[in-house]
PDB file of all heavy atoms in Angstrom:
ATOM      1  N   THR B 421     -22.979   2.261  -2.218  1.00 96.00           N
ATOM      2  CA  THR B 421     -22.330   2.941  -1.107  1.00 96.00           C
ATOM      3  C   THR B 421     -23.296   3.810  -0.299  1.00 96.00           C
ATOM      4  O   THR B 421     -24.481   3.764  -0.570  1.00 96.00           O
ATOM      5  CB  THR B 421     -21.248   3.892  -1.563  1.00 96.00           C
ATOM      6  OG1 THR B 421     -21.871   4.913  -2.383  1.00 96.00           O
ATOM      7  CG2 THR B 421     -20.230   3.184  -2.460  1.00 96.00           C
ATOM      8  N   LEU B 422     -22.811   4.476   0.773  1.00 95.00           N
ATOM      9  CA  LEU B 422     -23.577   5.284   1.603  1.00 95.00           C
ATOM     10  C   LEU B 422     -24.320   6.383   0.783  1.00 95.00           C
ATOM     11  O   LEU B 422     -25.463   6.639   0.860  1.00 95.00           O
ATOM     12  CB  LEU B 422     -22.784   5.944   2.677  1.00 95.00           C
ATOM     13  CG  LEU B 422     -22.331   5.138   3.832  1.00 95.00           C
ATOM     14  CD1 LEU B 422     -21.398   5.929   4.756  1.00 95.00           C
ATOM     15  CD2 LEU B 422     -23.582   4.624   4.642  1.00 95.00           C
ATOM     16  N   ASP B 423     -23.488   6.955  -0.182  1.00 94.00           N
ATOM     17  CA  ASP B 423     -24.058   7.948  -1.096  1.00 94.00           C
ATOM     18  C   ASP B 423     -25.211   7.453  -1.862  1.00 94.00           C
ATOM     19  O   ASP B 423     -26.240   8.149  -2.019  1.00 94.00           O
ATOM     20  CB  ASP B 423     -22.993   8.408  -2.071  1.00 94.00           C
ATOM     21  CG  ASP B 423     -22.313   9.729  -1.648  1.00 94.00           C
ATOM     22  OD1 ASP B 423     -22.670  10.225  -0.561  1.00 94.00           O
ATOM     23  OD2 ASP B 423     -21.423  10.175  -2.355  1.00 94.00           O
ATOM     24  N   ALA B 424     -25.182   6.236  -2.364  1.00 96.00           N
ATOM     25  CA  ALA B 424     -26.239   5.609  -3.118  1.00 96.00           C
ATOM     26  C   ALA B 424     -27.465   5.531  -2.298  1.00 96.00           C
ATOM     27  O   ALA B 424     -28.650   5.693  -2.712  1.00 96.00           O
ATOM     28  CB  ALA B 424     -25.838   4.232  -3.642  1.00 96.00           C
ATOM     29  N   VAL B 425     -27.326   5.141  -1.026  1.00 96.00           N
ATOM     30  CA  VAL B 425     -28.470   5.013  -0.100  1.00 96.00           C
ATOM     31  C   VAL B 425     -29.141   6.387   0.179  1.00 96.00           C
ATOM     32  O   VAL B 425     -30.307   6.515   0.141  1.00 96.00           O
ATOM     33  CB  VAL B 425     -28.081   4.349   1.181  1.00 96.00           C
ATOM     34  CG1 VAL B 425     -29.303   4.183   2.145  1.00 96.00           C
ATOM     35  CG2 VAL B 425     -27.579   2.889   0.967  1.00 96.00           C
ATOM     36  N   THR B 426     -28.330   7.505   0.408  1.00 94.00           N
ATOM     37  CA  THR B 426     -28.826   8.767   0.542  1.00 94.00           C
ATOM     38  C   THR B 426     -29.610   9.244  -0.668  1.00 94.00           C
ATOM     39  O   THR B 426     -30.607   9.941  -0.578  1.00 94.00           O
ATOM     40  CB  THR B 426     -27.786   9.779   0.969  1.00 94.00           C
ATOM     41  OG1 THR B 426     -26.744   9.838   0.050  1.00 94.00           O
ATOM     42  CG2 THR B 426     -27.149   9.495   2.361  1.00 94.00           C
ATOM     43  N   GLN B 427     -29.075   8.903  -1.757  1.00 94.00           N
ATOM     44  CA  GLN B 427     -29.727   9.216  -3.045  1.00 94.00           C
ATOM     45  C   GLN B 427     -31.092   8.562  -3.100  1.00 94.00           C
ATOM     46  O   GLN B 427     -32.080   9.246  -3.349  1.00 94.00           O
ATOM     47  CB  GLN B 427     -28.868   8.671  -4.232  1.00 94.00           C
ATOM     48  CG  GLN B 427     -28.632   9.625  -5.328  1.00 94.00           C
ATOM     49  CD  GLN B 427     -27.789   9.062  -6.324  1.00 94.00           C
ATOM     50  OE1 GLN B 427     -26.883   8.125  -6.094  1.00 94.00           O
ATOM     51  NE2 GLN B 427     -27.792   9.438  -7.624  1.00 94.00           N
ATOM     52  N   LEU B 428     -31.149   7.291  -2.874  1.00 95.00           N
ATOM     53  CA  LEU B 428     -32.415   6.546  -2.844  1.00 95.00           C
ATOM     54  C   LEU B 428     -33.354   7.198  -1.828  1.00 95.00           C
ATOM     55  O   LEU B 428     -34.575   7.411  -2.198  1.00 95.00           O
ATOM     56  CB  LEU B 428     -32.121   5.086  -2.504  1.00 95.00           C
ATOM     57  CG  LEU B 428     -33.445   4.181  -2.321  1.00 95.00           C
ATOM     58  CD1 LEU B 428     -34.224   4.083  -3.560  1.00 95.00           C
ATOM     59  CD2 LEU B 428     -32.987   2.785  -1.808  1.00 95.00           C
ATOM     60  N   ARG B 429     -32.930   7.547  -0.636  1.00 95.00           N
ATOM     61  CA  ARG B 429     -33.713   8.112   0.331  1.00 95.00           C
ATOM     62  C   ARG B 429     -34.369   9.424  -0.127  1.00 95.00           C
ATOM     63  O   ARG B 429     -35.523   9.696   0.083  1.00 95.00           O
ATOM     64  CB  ARG B 429     -32.969   8.374   1.581  1.00 95.00           C
ATOM     65  CG  ARG B 429     -33.728   8.920   2.809  1.00 95.00           C
ATOM     66  CD  ARG B 429     -32.766   9.367   3.854  1.00 95.00           C
ATOM     67  NE  ARG B 429     -33.479   9.775   5.021  1.00 95.00           N
ATOM     68  CZ  ARG B 429     -32.972  10.412   6.073  1.00 95.00           C
ATOM     69  NH1 ARG B 429     -31.643  10.800   6.044  1.00 95.00           N
ATOM     70  NH2 ARG B 429     -33.624  10.779   7.152  1.00 95.00           N
ATOM     71  N   ARG B 430     -33.529  10.284  -0.786  1.00 92.00           N
ATOM     72  CA  ARG B 430     -34.003  11.534  -1.200  1.00 92.00           C
ATOM     73  C   ARG B 430     -35.163  11.325  -2.264  1.00 92.00           C
ATOM     74  O   ARG B 430     -36.141  11.978  -2.198  1.00 92.00           O
ATOM     75  CB  ARG B 430     -32.793  12.209  -2.009  1.00 92.00           C
ATOM     76  CG  ARG B 430     -32.900  13.727  -2.048  1.00 92.00           C
ATOM     77  CD  ARG B 430     -31.895  14.219  -3.118  1.00 92.00           C
ATOM     78  NE  ARG B 430     -30.536  13.892  -2.937  1.00 92.00           N
ATOM     79  CZ  ARG B 430     -29.757  13.748  -4.027  1.00 92.00           C
ATOM     80  NH1 ARG B 430     -30.087  13.921  -5.213  1.00 92.00           N
ATOM     81  NH2 ARG B 430     -28.506  13.471  -3.734  1.00 92.00           N
ATOM     82  N   TYR B 431     -35.003  10.313  -3.200  1.00 92.00           N
ATOM     83  CA  TYR B 431     -36.073  10.030  -4.195  1.00 92.00           C
ATOM     84  C   TYR B 431     -37.329   9.508  -3.504  1.00 92.00           C
ATOM     85  O   TYR B 431     -38.389   9.992  -3.858  1.00 92.00           O
ATOM     86  CB  TYR B 431     -35.546   9.032  -5.220  1.00 92.00           C
ATOM     87  CG  TYR B 431     -34.271   9.412  -5.858  1.00 92.00           C
ATOM     88  CD1 TYR B 431     -33.425   8.493  -6.420  1.00 92.00           C
ATOM     89  CD2 TYR B 431     -33.944  10.821  -6.119  1.00 92.00           C
ATOM     90  CE1 TYR B 431     -32.234   8.846  -7.026  1.00 92.00           C
ATOM     91  CE2 TYR B 431     -32.780  11.142  -6.660  1.00 92.00           C
ATOM     92  CZ  TYR B 431     -31.911  10.158  -7.184  1.00 92.00           C
ATOM     93  OH  TYR B 431     -30.788  10.566  -7.777  1.00 92.00           O
ATOM     94  N   VAL B 432     -37.171   8.602  -2.590  1.00 94.00           N
ATOM     95  CA  VAL B 432     -38.336   7.976  -1.938  1.00 94.00           C
ATOM     96  C   VAL B 432     -39.132   9.076  -1.188  1.00 94.00           C
ATOM     97  O   VAL B 432     -40.389   9.134  -1.381  1.00 94.00           O
ATOM     98  CB  VAL B 432     -37.884   6.918  -0.944  1.00 94.00           C
ATOM     99  CG1 VAL B 432     -39.081   6.499  -0.023  1.00 94.00           C
ATOM    100  CG2 VAL B 432     -37.347   5.709  -1.689  1.00 94.00           C
ATOM    101  N   GLU B 433     -38.478   9.981  -0.497  1.00 92.00           N
ATOM    102  CA  GLU B 433     -39.124  10.949   0.199  1.00 92.00           C
ATOM    103  C   GLU B 433     -39.790  12.011  -0.765  1.00 92.00           C
ATOM    104  O   GLU B 433     -40.884  12.530  -0.460  1.00 92.00           O
ATOM    105  CB  GLU B 433     -38.171  11.669   1.214  1.00 92.00           C
ATOM    106  CG  GLU B 433     -37.769  10.832   2.326  1.00 92.00           C
ATOM    107  CD  GLU B 433     -36.835  11.459   3.307  1.00 92.00           C
ATOM    108  OE1 GLU B 433     -36.383  12.577   3.044  1.00 92.00           O
ATOM    109  OE2 GLU B 433     -36.564  10.802   4.346  1.00 92.00           O
ATOM    110  N   LYS B 434     -39.104  12.320  -1.814  1.00 89.00           N
ATOM    111  CA  LYS B 434     -39.644  13.291  -2.757  1.00 89.00           C
ATOM    112  C   LYS B 434     -40.852  12.689  -3.445  1.00 89.00           C
ATOM    113  O   LYS B 434     -41.862  13.399  -3.591  1.00 89.00           O
ATOM    114  CB  LYS B 434     -38.593  13.628  -3.758  1.00 89.00           C
ATOM    115  CG  LYS B 434     -38.977  14.783  -4.721  1.00 89.00           C
ATOM    116  CD  LYS B 434     -39.237  16.064  -3.847  1.00 89.00           C
ATOM    117  CE  LYS B 434     -39.740  17.233  -4.722  1.00 89.00           C
ATOM    118  NZ  LYS B 434     -40.159  18.406  -3.833  1.00 89.00           N
ATOM    119  N   ILE B 435     -40.772  11.456  -3.850  1.00 88.00           N
ATOM    120  CA  ILE B 435     -42.003  10.827  -4.505  1.00 88.00           C
ATOM    121  C   ILE B 435     -43.142  10.808  -3.561  1.00 88.00           C
ATOM    122  O   ILE B 435     -44.240  11.147  -3.942  1.00 88.00           O
ATOM    123  CB  ILE B 435     -41.575   9.419  -4.976  1.00 88.00           C
ATOM    124  CG1 ILE B 435     -40.767   9.434  -6.207  1.00 88.00           C
ATOM    125  CG2 ILE B 435     -42.870   8.550  -5.222  1.00 88.00           C
ATOM    126  CD1 ILE B 435     -41.523  10.014  -7.431  1.00 88.00           C
ATOM    127  N   GLY B 436     -42.823  10.471  -2.316  1.00 90.00           N
ATOM    128  CA  GLY B 436     -43.912  10.430  -1.257  1.00 90.00           C
ATOM    129  C   GLY B 436     -44.627  11.824  -1.161  1.00 90.00           C
ATOM    130  O   GLY B 436     -45.867  11.838  -1.109  1.00 90.00           O
ATOM    131  N   SER B 437     -43.841  12.858  -1.061  1.00 87.00           N
ATOM    132  CA  SER B 437     -44.427  14.187  -0.896  1.00 87.00           C
ATOM    133  C   SER B 437     -45.066  14.725  -2.114  1.00 87.00           C
ATOM    134  O   SER B 437     -46.129  15.394  -2.110  1.00 87.00           O
ATOM    135  CB  SER B 437     -43.414  15.183  -0.305  1.00 87.00           C
ATOM    136  OG  SER B 437     -42.595  15.654  -1.326  1.00 87.00           O
ATOM    137  N   LEU B 438     -44.512  14.339  -3.312  1.00 83.00           N
ATOM    138  CA  LEU B 438     -45.108  14.764  -4.565  1.00 83.00           C
ATOM    139  C   LEU B 438     -46.503  14.164  -4.837  1.00 83.00           C
ATOM    140  O   LEU B 438     -47.435  14.781  -5.245  1.00 83.00           O
ATOM    141  CB  LEU B 438     -44.234  14.393  -5.734  1.00 83.00           C
ATOM    142  CG  LEU B 438     -43.064  15.340  -6.154  1.00 83.00           C
ATOM    143  CD1 LEU B 438     -42.269  14.792  -7.212  1.00 83.00           C
ATOM    144  CD2 LEU B 438     -43.673  16.676  -6.645  1.00 83.00           C
ATOM    145  N   LYS B 439     -46.514  12.769  -4.617  1.00 85.00           N
ATOM    146  CA  LYS B 439     -47.724  12.078  -4.835  1.00 85.00           C
ATOM    147  C   LYS B 439     -48.616  12.013  -3.619  1.00 85.00           C
ATOM    148  O   LYS B 439     -49.809  11.463  -3.676  1.00 85.00           O
ATOM    149  CB  LYS B 439     -47.427  10.578  -5.230  1.00 85.00           C
ATOM    150  CG  LYS B 439     -46.319  10.413  -6.210  1.00 85.00           C
ATOM    151  CD  LYS B 439     -46.876  10.490  -7.697  1.00 85.00           C
ATOM    152  CE  LYS B 439     -45.696  10.443  -8.731  1.00 85.00           C
ATOM    153  NZ  LYS B 439     -46.194  10.464 -10.127  1.00 85.00           N
ATOM    154  N   GLY B 440     -48.191  12.572  -2.510  1.00 89.00           N
ATOM    155  CA  GLY B 440     -49.048  12.621  -1.306  1.00 89.00           C
ATOM    156  C   GLY B 440     -49.365  11.282  -0.750  1.00 89.00           C
ATOM    157  O   GLY B 440     -50.399  11.079  -0.192  1.00 89.00           O
ATOM    158  N   VAL B 441     -48.436  10.304  -0.816  1.00 90.00           N
ATOM    159  CA  VAL B 441     -48.573   9.062  -0.233  1.00 90.00           C
ATOM    160  C   VAL B 441     -47.512   8.702   0.740  1.00 90.00           C
ATOM    161  O   VAL B 441     -46.412   9.208   0.597  1.00 90.00           O
ATOM    162  CB  VAL B 441     -48.692   7.895  -1.284  1.00 90.00           C
ATOM    163  CG1 VAL B 441     -50.012   7.987  -2.116  1.00 90.00           C
ATOM    164  CG2 VAL B 441     -47.570   7.930  -2.247  1.00 90.00           C
ATOM    165  N   LYS B 442     -47.822   7.859   1.722  1.00 90.00           N
ATOM    166  CA  LYS B 442     -46.799   7.307   2.511  1.00 90.00           C
ATOM    167  C   LYS B 442     -46.518   5.869   2.207  1.00 90.00           C
ATOM    168  O   LYS B 442     -47.183   5.323   1.341  1.00 90.00           O
ATOM    169  CB  LYS B 442     -47.305   7.334   4.015  1.00 90.00           C
ATOM    170  CG  LYS B 442     -47.327   8.814   4.669  1.00 90.00           C
ATOM    171  CD  LYS B 442     -47.567   8.810   6.071  1.00 90.00           C
ATOM    172  CE  LYS B 442     -47.565  10.249   6.567  1.00 90.00           C
ATOM    173  NZ  LYS B 442     -47.830  10.321   8.017  1.00 90.00           N
ATOM    174  N   GLY B 443     -45.481   5.272   2.736  1.00 92.00           N
ATOM    175  CA  GLY B 443     -45.122   3.958   2.497  1.00 92.00           C
ATOM    176  C   GLY B 443     -44.562   3.593   1.113  1.00 92.00           C
ATOM    177  O   GLY B 443     -44.745   2.539   0.570  1.00 92.00           O
ATOM    178  N   VAL B 444     -43.914   4.689   0.515  1.00 95.00           N
ATOM    179  CA  VAL B 444     -43.235   4.414  -0.677  1.00 95.00           C
ATOM    180  C   VAL B 444     -42.097   3.453  -0.500  1.00 95.00           C
ATOM    181  O   VAL B 444     -41.268   3.701   0.499  1.00 95.00           O
ATOM    182  CB  VAL B 444     -42.734   5.761  -1.347  1.00 95.00           C
ATOM    183  CG1 VAL B 444     -41.898   5.515  -2.700  1.00 95.00           C
ATOM    184  CG2 VAL B 444     -43.891   6.687  -1.640  1.00 95.00           C
ATOM    185  N   ARG B 445     -41.923   2.452  -1.259  1.00 97.00           N
ATOM    186  CA  ARG B 445     -40.897   1.575  -1.098  1.00 97.00           C
ATOM    187  C   ARG B 445     -39.571   1.951  -1.728  1.00 97.00           C
ATOM    188  O   ARG B 445     -39.618   2.537  -2.833  1.00 97.00           O
ATOM    189  CB  ARG B 445     -41.214   0.065  -1.547  1.00 97.00           C
ATOM    190  CG  ARG B 445     -42.258  -0.476  -0.712  1.00 97.00           C
ATOM    191  CD  ARG B 445     -42.657  -1.935  -1.263  1.00 97.00           C
ATOM    192  NE  ARG B 445     -41.543  -2.825  -1.333  1.00 97.00           N
ATOM    193  CZ  ARG B 445     -41.492  -3.937  -2.025  1.00 97.00           C
ATOM    194  NH1 ARG B 445     -42.458  -4.213  -2.838  1.00 97.00           N
ATOM    195  NH2 ARG B 445     -40.470  -4.663  -2.038  1.00 97.00           N
ATOM    196  N   GLY B 446     -38.475   1.665  -1.200  1.00 97.00           N
ATOM    197  CA  GLY B 446     -37.147   2.031  -1.693  1.00 97.00           C
ATOM    198  C   GLY B 446     -36.339   0.761  -1.976  1.00 97.00           C
ATOM    199  O   GLY B 446     -36.186   0.037  -0.995  1.00 97.00           O
ATOM    200  N   ILE B 447     -35.825   0.426  -3.112  1.00 97.00           N
ATOM    201  CA  ILE B 447     -35.120  -0.706  -3.393  1.00 97.00           C
ATOM    202  C   ILE B 447     -33.750  -0.398  -4.071  1.00 97.00           C
ATOM    203  O   ILE B 447     -33.719   0.371  -4.986  1.00 97.00           O
ATOM    204  CB  ILE B 447     -35.878  -1.650  -4.269  1.00 97.00           C
ATOM    205  CG1 ILE B 447     -37.151  -2.228  -3.582  1.00 97.00           C
ATOM    206  CG2 ILE B 447     -35.037  -2.899  -4.708  1.00 97.00           C
ATOM    207  CD1 ILE B 447     -37.987  -3.104  -4.383  1.00 97.00           C
ATOM    208  N   MET B 448     -32.691  -0.923  -3.446  1.00 97.00           N
ATOM    209  CA  MET B 448     -31.381  -0.672  -4.039  1.00 97.00           C
ATOM    210  C   MET B 448     -31.003  -1.966  -4.786  1.00 97.00           C
ATOM    211  O   MET B 448     -30.972  -3.072  -4.239  1.00 97.00           O
ATOM    212  CB  MET B 448     -30.356  -0.494  -2.826  1.00 97.00           C
ATOM    213  CG  MET B 448     -28.858  -0.316  -3.317  1.00 97.00           C
ATOM    214  SD  MET B 448     -28.607   1.209  -4.188  1.00 97.00           S
ATOM    215  CE  MET B 448     -28.908   2.361  -2.844  1.00 97.00           C
ATOM    216  N   ALA B 449     -30.809  -1.772  -6.039  1.00 97.00           N
ATOM    217  CA  ALA B 449     -30.408  -2.846  -6.989  1.00 97.00           C
ATOM    218  C   ALA B 449     -28.987  -2.719  -7.351  1.00 97.00           C
ATOM    219  O   ALA B 449     -28.614  -1.814  -8.033  1.00 97.00           O
ATOM    220  CB  ALA B 449     -31.372  -2.967  -8.180  1.00 97.00           C
ATOM    221  N   ALA B 450     -28.191  -3.688  -6.866  1.00 97.00           N
ATOM    222  CA  ALA B 450     -26.730  -3.659  -7.177  1.00 97.00           C
ATOM    223  C   ALA B 450     -26.152  -5.030  -7.008  1.00 97.00           C
ATOM    224  O   ALA B 450     -26.709  -5.856  -6.261  1.00 97.00           O
ATOM    225  CB  ALA B 450     -26.046  -2.643  -6.347  1.00 97.00           C
ATOM    226  N   PRO B 451     -25.038  -5.388  -7.663  1.00 95.00           N
ATOM    227  CA  PRO B 451     -24.399  -6.694  -7.428  1.00 95.00           C
ATOM    228  C   PRO B 451     -23.773  -6.796  -5.980  1.00 95.00           C
ATOM    229  O   PRO B 451     -23.576  -7.922  -5.510  1.00 95.00           O
ATOM    230  CB  PRO B 451     -23.282  -6.715  -8.516  1.00 95.00           C
ATOM    231  CG  PRO B 451     -23.032  -5.366  -8.873  1.00 95.00           C
ATOM    232  CD  PRO B 451     -24.313  -4.589  -8.684  1.00 95.00           C
ATOM    233  N   ASN B 452     -23.498  -5.651  -5.316  1.00 96.00           N
ATOM    234  CA  ASN B 452     -22.946  -5.658  -4.008  1.00 96.00           C
ATOM    235  C   ASN B 452     -23.372  -4.453  -3.218  1.00 96.00           C
ATOM    236  O   ASN B 452     -23.843  -3.420  -3.790  1.00 96.00           O
ATOM    237  CB  ASN B 452     -21.443  -5.694  -4.079  1.00 96.00           C
ATOM    238  CG  ASN B 452     -20.890  -7.029  -4.328  1.00 96.00           C
ATOM    239  OD1 ASN B 452     -20.997  -7.917  -3.603  1.00 96.00           O
ATOM    240  ND2 ASN B 452     -20.190  -7.176  -5.524  1.00 96.00           N
ATOM    241  N   ILE B 453     -23.282  -4.453  -1.960  1.00 97.00           N
ATOM    242  CA  ILE B 453     -23.542  -3.315  -1.102  1.00 97.00           C
ATOM    243  C   ILE B 453     -22.563  -3.298   0.097  1.00 97.00           C
ATOM    244  O   ILE B 453     -22.280  -4.397   0.597  1.00 97.00           O
ATOM    245  CB  ILE B 453     -24.983  -3.282  -0.624  1.00 97.00           C
ATOM    246  CG1 ILE B 453     -25.298  -2.023   0.135  1.00 97.00           C
ATOM    247  CG2 ILE B 453     -25.334  -4.499   0.178  1.00 97.00           C
ATOM    248  CD1 ILE B 453     -26.805  -1.763   0.294  1.00 97.00           C
ATOM    249  N   SER B 454     -22.062  -2.141   0.480  1.00 97.00           N
ATOM    250  CA  SER B 454     -21.117  -2.106   1.554  1.00 97.00           C
ATOM    251  C   SER B 454     -21.886  -2.268   2.864  1.00 97.00           C
ATOM    252  O   SER B 454     -23.071  -1.926   3.002  1.00 97.00           O
ATOM    253  CB  SER B 454     -20.415  -0.745   1.585  1.00 97.00           C
ATOM    254  OG  SER B 454     -21.222   0.271   2.105  1.00 97.00           O
ATOM    255  N   PRO B 455     -21.202  -2.831   3.865  1.00 96.00           N
ATOM    256  CA  PRO B 455     -21.910  -3.212   5.134  1.00 96.00           C
ATOM    257  C   PRO B 455     -22.614  -1.959   5.765  1.00 96.00           C
ATOM    258  O   PRO B 455     -23.790  -2.029   6.183  1.00 96.00           O
ATOM    259  CB  PRO B 455     -20.724  -3.686   6.075  1.00 96.00           C
ATOM    260  CG  PRO B 455     -19.708  -3.995   5.137  1.00 96.00           C
ATOM    261  CD  PRO B 455     -19.795  -3.179   3.979  1.00 96.00           C
TER     262      PRO B 455
END
Side-chain angles (χ1 to χ4, degrees):
Chain B
T421 63
L422 287 174
D423 262 1
V425 179
T426 55
Q427 228 177 333
L428 175 60
R429 182 191 189 191
R430 206 198 300 152
Y431 304 152
V432 168
E433 292 182 351
K434 189 59 185 176
I435 284 291
S437 80
L438 274 175
K439 312 271 177 182
V441 289
K442 287 187 177 180
V444 175
R445 290 178 63 197
I447 295 178
M448 179 68 66
N452 282 295
I453 185 165
S454 78

